[in-house]
Amino acid sequence: MACDFIEQNRTTCALGGLYTALAIERVLPVLHCGPGCQAQTRGVLGNSNGAQNSFPFMESVIPCSNFEETDVVFGGVEKLRKLLEHSLKAYKADMFIVLSGCTPAIVGDDVEEVIRSFSGGDIPVLYAETAGFHGNNLYGHRQVLTAILKQYLPRQERGETIPGLVNIFGIVPYYDPFWSAELEEIESLLTKIGLKPNIFYGRGKGLAEIQKIPQASFNILLSPWVDLEVVQELEAQYGTPYFHYPALPLGPTETNRFLRELAQYAGLDEPAVEKVIHEGEDLYYYYMNRSLHWIYSCRTLPKHFYVNASASSALPLTRFLVNDLGLLPEKIYLPEGIPEEHRERVEGYFRDLEIADEKRGGFVVDFSEDGGLMAAEIRDIHFEPGTTYIFGSLWDVLFCRGKHLPFLSVSAPQGIHMIGTKHYFGYTGGVNLFSDYYSRLADLGPFGGGSHE
Ligand code: SF4
């Protein structure tokens, strides 16, 4: 039975946008909020999401005004001002972004006025309003990016457009547990087809990359809905067009389609792109063929699956499972608070599958924010052993274990095991995903689990 409340949260409050700042090297978030606020973001986006911590600024060194009862009465702006003065002296950062939480917003602290008093200095100090009652960490992510576009980039001259330079949007650092290696793989693939990808999160990526954003020939958006408003803002601000591919390509079918559509959009050398496709397919099928004979001769693989994950994880996964592995979706749960105006379009992306029309419409896409809804709805279903696979997050582990259902964690909070350089993108990502999918199945024994009651 469906719950009428939200449990098993897979997002944090808007303050979780601090991780977007942390993903840009030498950018330091400064928090104006209660002393416990940061800790709730770490549980979903940090240590429980692929054993991540931020780097080079670790979570434990992030300055915070520790907003308390006295500040509720007298306001916290002077405390924030002092905190910024000391932080500017104590930290070697290239940029500071103040993120404010609920209590300063409720008591009416004029944070913008404080930030204005630091304008004109050598180190940029920006401000993002991230009170938790406004939205979740995806809202916070957008607030941080918008702060950079509106408060920092206007200082920069646009300069000449650089041919082939493309900004990559749609991947939310830390929230997507595989973000870092994914971006490195995207950089590698797009470079091979003749583009100059401009990536501003992760290893060695900082303000130098941010400063190049206005010079891009076009932006590439790789998500169903996240960052759509950001690329639209860039189009309005600088006239930069964007290429929107709604699913982060995973496996050969999607990656081939993405590369061909991108090549056509950007007028790339098609024989060179086809060569990259051929090499990618060669890699994918080599590794798959080295295992598939053994796997299919010893085991019946599941035919059906459920997904309980972010839209950015669920969409590539669904397309890969259907288009490349031949599975059928039972129901897709997207508990990340997708705004109403995006839902119809997002659902359409899930139905854009290479299957018969009647099957394409034969499953439900659910937009409830309740992460516990899937377990509540399928708890009493009897699953024949090894027929149905579940994809979700750390929250779903115990439920699947109790039902003897094969399970893979793909979305925040992904779990406490280190992810490292693993990613689910492109041709290599397809092999990685299949390897994890199959390995969890093998862990359950010869029949691949299933309910035995
Ligand atoms: S919802 Fe508000 S009070 Fe709660 S953690 Fe987020 S910013 Fe802090």
Side-chain angles (χ1 to χ4, degrees):
M1 193 168 76
C3 307
D4 56 3
F5 54 85
I6 293 172
E7 60 166 358
Q8 298 184 5
N9 229 353
R10 286 135 206 265
T11 55
T12 74
C13 82
L15 200 73
L18 71 95
Y19 279 92
T20 298
L22 286 166
I24 306 166
E25 217 163 80
R26 291 172 60 88
V27 171
L28 182 68
V30 176
L31 305 184
H32 187 39
C33 60
C37 294
Q38 188 205 330
Q40 64 84 26
T41 66
R42 195 168 50 209
V44 175
L45 304 175
N47 47 17
S48 299
N49 197 27
Q52 302 185 77
N53 59 251
S54 54
F55 184 82
F57 294 122
M58 294 179 74
E59 288 99 332
S60 54
V61 306
I62 296 172
C64 179
S65 61
N66 291 338
F67 206 97
E68 55 192 5
E69 286 89 339
T70 333
D71 307 313
V72 172
V73 178
F74 298 105
V77 287
E78 286 316 310
K79 209 169 169 185
L80 175 62
R81 203 185 304 277
K82 280 204 183 80
L83 177 70
L84 275 171
E85 283 166 6
H86 290 299
S87 299
L88 280 159
K89 286 182 199 148
Y91 290 87
K92 285 187 179 156
D94 292 340
M95 174 188 280
F96 293 79
I97 304 183
V98 174
L99 284 89
S100 60
C102 294
T103 30
I106 290 167
V107 304
D109 271 7
D110 190 349
V111 180
E112 269 185 284
E113 190 282 321
V114 179
I115 303 308
R116 267 198 302 276
S117 66
F118 287 88
S119 67
D122 292 340
I123 309 288
V125 181
L126 316 184
Y127 166 51
E129 158 65 83
T130 52
F133 53 76
H134 283 313
N136 63 21
N137 59 293
L138 296 169
Y139 172 85
H141 162 78
R142 185 182 161 194
Q143 288 295 93
V144 168
L145 278 188
T146 304
I148 292 170
L149 300 188
K150 299 281 178 201
Q151 299 166 39
Y152 177 66
L153 284 182
R155 291 181 176 198
Q156 312 296 316
E157 290 293 319
R158 184 183 184 196
E160 289 291 307
T161 301
I162 300 174
L165 188 76
V166 288
N167 301 314
I168 308 300
F169 287 97
I171 291 167
V172 182
Y174 291 93
Y175 177 58
D176 177 342
F178 307 95
W179 65 279
S180 185
E182 255 164 28
L183 285 167
E184 294 194 8
E185 188 71 8
I186 290 169
E187 186 170 36
S188 162
L189 186 69
L190 296 187
T191 304
K192 279 187 200 162
I193 62 167
L195 292 172
K196 300 182 185 104
N198 184 37
I199 287 162
F200 26 85
Y201 309 126
R203 191 166 58 100
K205 308 296 186 187
L207 282 201
E209 283 70 29
I210 292 283
Q211 284 163 6
K212 283 195 278 183
I213 286 176
Q215 291 176 278
S217 299
F218 63 97
N219 293 317
I220 296 180
L221 175 62
L222 291 169
S223 85
W225 70 277
V226 169
D227 284 352
L228 179 60
E229 282 91 353
V230 173
V231 293
Q232 287 171 341
E233 273 167 29
L234 281 166
E235 191 169 46
Q237 195 167 327
Y238 298 112
T240 316
Y242 64 91
F243 172 75
H244 184 188
Y245 197 82
L248 188 67
L250 170 64
T253 303
E254 274 296 291
T255 313
N256 294 355
R257 181 177 160 189
F258 163 70
L259 289 176
R260 287 181 179 131
E261 287 185 17
L262 178 60
Q264 198 172 32
Y265 176 87
L268 301 177
D269 178 15
E270 291 193 9
V273 172
E274 288 301 321
K275 185 167 176 286
V276 172
I277 287 174
H278 177 74
E279 287 167 5
E281 284 187 325
D282 192 54
L283 178 143
Y284 175 82
Y285 289 112
Y286 172 79
Y287 282 99
M288 294 297 277
N289 282 327
R290 273 185 43 198
S291 295
L292 283 187
H293 176 69
W294 157 251
I295 290 170
Y296 279 104
S297 59
C298 297
R299 181 180 299 281
T300 304
L301 296 182
K303 186 74 181 149
H304 303 276
F305 67 93
Y306 289 83
V307 185
N308 192 18
S310 72
S312 296
S313 298
L315 181 58
L317 184 68
T318 300
R319 288 186 173 184
F320 177 65
L321 293 171
V322 173
N323 297 344
D324 292 296
L325 302 186
L327 276 76
L328 291 172
E330 287 292 319
K331 188 161 179 176
I332 311 290
Y333 299 84
L334 307 173
E336 63 173 358
I338 299 175
E340 197 69 44
E341 67 267 26
H342 294 296
R343 292 184 182 180
E344 195 181 333
R345 200 168 27 78
V346 170
E347 181 166 347
Y349 297 145
F350 277 90
R351 302 209 185 279
D352 182 7
L353 298 169
E354 298 196 358
I355 48 174
D357 285 349
E358 65 274 15
K359 293 203 169 110
R360 196 175 295 139
F363 62 95
V364 172
V365 179
D366 188 284
F367 292 92
S368 163
E369 282 188 74
D370 181 8
L373 184 60
M374 180 190 73
E377 285 191 345
I378 70 173
R379 181 165 284 123
D380 296 328
I381 297 177
H382 170 77
F383 295 101
E384 289 299 327
T387 57
T388 306
Y389 207 110
I390 310 288
F391 297 87
S393 81
L394 182 60
W395 281 114
D396 302 303
V397 172
L398 289 179
F399 169 74
C400 292
R401 205 175 281 163
K403 292 282 286 180
H404 304 284
L405 287 165
F407 167 74
L408 181 63
S409 183
V410 294
S411 186
Q414 194 265 354
I416 57 170
H417 295 117
M418 180 177 158
I419 286 175
T421 56
K422 182 184 285 183
H423 63 80
Y424 295 150
F425 168 77
Y427 302 100
T428 321
V431 179
N432 290 344
L433 192 284
F434 186 84
S435 162
D436 289 344
Y437 158 81
Y438 171 71
S439 300
R440 296 297 96 72
L441 202 60
D443 287 345
L444 291 177
F447 298 108
S451 169
H452 300 287
E453 67 263 40

